């Protein structure tokens, strides 16, 4: 075999190995991917029951209630076009309140309720850490400068 043919075989083998590695990585990430839905997208094209997804939207005012067990809450997430009932059992983030943004990780149940396993509360752009809120502007700047 001539050196030219040997190089060509090596290039072809390298390309095959590279494509194979890419396909393996894509297949592995497919199982780890968590799709994000807003309520209107979930209502229009719901994910399969039990498939892990994320649901993001606003917690509807007046929808939050605690069930008699004391750790399970039910609330509704909306985006202005659709509403999705959500149930969550566990410790609720401090920033989780009605009217705020939330991202719930979990799966859609057979009855159409989103069964959340984790809640991520979002705060608005005016959020200020409690420690900095009690300081005046100069003290806050000094504290921030010390942490950098």
């Amino acid at each position: 075999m001539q050196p030219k043919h040997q190089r060509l075989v090596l290039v072809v083998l390298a390309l095959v190995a590279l494509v194979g590695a890419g396909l393996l990585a894509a297949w592995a990430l497919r199982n780890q991917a968590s799709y994000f839905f807003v309520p209107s997208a979930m209502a229009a094209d719901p994910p399969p029951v039990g498939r892990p997804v994320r649901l993001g939207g606003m917690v509807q005012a007046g929808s939050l209630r605690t069930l008699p067990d004391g750790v399970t809450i039910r609330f509704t997430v909306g985006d202005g076009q659709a509403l999705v009932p959500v149930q969550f059992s566990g410790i609720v983030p401090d920033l989780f309140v009605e009217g705020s943004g939330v991202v719930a990780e979990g799966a859609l149940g057979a009855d159409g309720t989103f069964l959340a396993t984790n809640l991520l509360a979002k705060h608005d752009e005016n959020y200020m850490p409690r420690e900095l809120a009690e300081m005046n502007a100069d003290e806050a700047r000094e504290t921030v400068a010390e942490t950098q």
Side-chain angles (χ1 to χ4, degrees):
M1 187 179 283
Q2 296 179 358
K4 182 178 179 182
H5 291 126
Q6 288 178 345
R7 285 192 301 262
L8 182 62
V9 168
L10 285 176
V11 168
V12 169
L13 288 176
L15 286 174
V16 168
L18 187 63
V19 169
L23 289 174
L24 282 174
W27 183 77
L29 290 175
R30 181 181 58 99
N31 292 335
Q32 299 297 321
S34 180
Y35 295 99
F36 183 83
F37 285 85
V38 293
S40 58
M42 187 169 279
D45 186 22
V49 172
R51 181 180 183 177
V53 295
R54 289 181 171 190
L55 172 67
M58 301 298 289
V59 179
Q60 297 298 300
S63 69
L64 181 61
R65 63 185 172 97
T66 304
L67 298 184
D69 65 0
V71 294
T72 303
I73 60 170
R74 293 187 69 111
F75 57 96
T76 305
V77 174
D79 64 352
Q81 298 176 0
L83 299 172
V84 175
V86 178
Q87 181 171 320
F88 173 72
S89 293
I91 298 173
V92 178
D94 291 339
L95 296 174
F96 180 80
V97 293
E98 291 180 345
S100 68
V102 67
V103 175
E105 298 174 337
L108 192 62
D111 63 349
T113 300
F114 189 81
L115 305 171
T117 57
N118 190 22
L119 292 180
L120 306 169
K122 297 166 63 177
H123 57 76
D124 64 3
E125 65 277 357
N126 298 324
Y127 173 74
M128 172 84 59
R130 193 175 310 154
E131 297 82 15
L132 293 179
E134 297 171 357
M135 299 177 186
N136 64 31
D138 293 332
E139 291 173 338
R141 272 189 225 107
E142 289 176 15
T143 302
V144 170
E146 290 173 3
T147 60
Q148 294 177 347

